Amino acid sequence: MPKQPRAWQRMLSGRRLDLLDPTPVDIEIEDIAHGLAFVARWNGQTRGEHAFSVAEHSLLVETLFTRICPEAPVKWQLAALLHDAPEYVIGDMISPVKAAVGPGYGALDERLTAAIHLRFGLPATIPVKIKRQIKKADKISAWMEAVQIAGFSKSEADRLFGAPDPAITRELTIRLRPPSETRAEFTRRHTVLLAAMT
């Protein structure tokens, strides 16, 4: 009988995360923050001295979500911050690659998301209305990234992601920081939101 391929990853915290059957007890925010701070958005095809990381993107999405839904409970702000958290182990695949991989990627993402949510006091699946608002913030972030650091023209970004309401993006700019700084900021913001939920 052939040996089964390994489907777990050892985290820096010492946890062993089973990708096929993730459990909340094997998830630590330090692992998420570290992984996301070293995963580049746009496959690294951005201007600047540092890659624009998924951790930085997640901080921006949480800010945008809060502007879109200022009355939203703190738990949904935390959900916005963690919206791409599974990418700390599965990486950030651009949309065309996700489409090519097929439904298996989505199922893996959903399992990891559910475990992450449960670990931090969120429901395994969040309400559709909230998910849509987080997706809206995600698309606005993608538009900002496309125009500011990924070499897209404004008209191209408008066509692909939709032109955002200028009131939502006012005075926001893309930040490029070393991974250690972004990791620390992501962890700090998670701590603040988690404390506000209790």
Side-chain angles (χ1 to χ4, degrees):
M1 190 167 173
K3 185 179 176 184
Q4 291 288 356
R6 180 172 63 91
W8 56 268
Q9 181 176 346
R10 178 73 64 199
M11 298 293 146
L12 288 177
S13 65
R15 298 286 189 189
R16 187 174 119 160
L17 183 66
D18 184 337
L19 300 181
L20 300 178
D21 187 23
T23 63
V25 295
D26 291 323
I27 292 166
E28 299 292 343
I29 194 60
E30 293 80 10
D31 293 331
I32 293 172
H34 183 83
L36 295 184
F38 283 90
V39 174
R41 294 266 296 165
W42 305 93
N43 284 342
Q45 297 300 307
T46 53
R47 299 183 189 104
E49 294 302 308
H50 300 285
F52 186 70
S53 71
V54 174
E56 198 74 73
H57 163 77
S58 298
L59 288 160
L60 179 57
V61 168
E62 191 255 320
T63 298
L64 291 164
F65 172 79
T66 303
R67 288 185 175 195
I68 293 165
C69 304
E71 304 300 320
V74 174
K75 66 181 178 179
W76 302 138
Q77 290 175 256
L78 181 60
L81 181 69
L82 296 172
H83 79 284
D84 277 341
E87 294 178 9
Y88 86 110
V89 286
I90 58 177
D92 179 34
M93 287 193 202
I94 58 174
S95 295
V97 175
K98 287 179 187 176
V101 170
Y105 177 89
L108 177 59
D109 186 90
E110 286 174 14
R111 284 194 299 273
L112 285 164
T113 296
I116 291 164
H117 282 180
L118 292 173
R119 171 66 175 87
F120 300 115
L122 298 170
T125 56
I126 60 175
V128 172
K129 181 180 177 184
I130 299 301
K131 198 168 185 175
R132 281 191 190 124
Q133 296 302 329
I134 293 171
K135 187 63 181 171
K136 180 178 179 180
D138 192 35
K139 287 185 89 171
I140 293 170
S141 180
W143 182 93
M144 291 176 64
E145 295 162 33
V147 170
Q148 292 183 29
I149 59 170
F152 288 62
S153 68
K154 185 177 175 301
S155 61
E156 188 177 25
D158 288 351
R159 189 173 63 255
L160 292 170
F161 307 108
D165 177 351
I168 295 172
T169 60
R170 186 174 292 123
E171 297 178 6
L172 289 177
T173 56
I174 298 297
R175 299 180 70 185
L176 298 173
R177 297 183 276 185
S180 59
E181 288 181 27
T182 308
R183 177 182 61 209
E185 178 61 18
F186 186 95
T187 305
R188 185 200 67 78
R189 186 63 185 150
H190 176 269
T191 301
V192 167
L193 293 171
L194 203 59
M197 283 172 56
T198 57

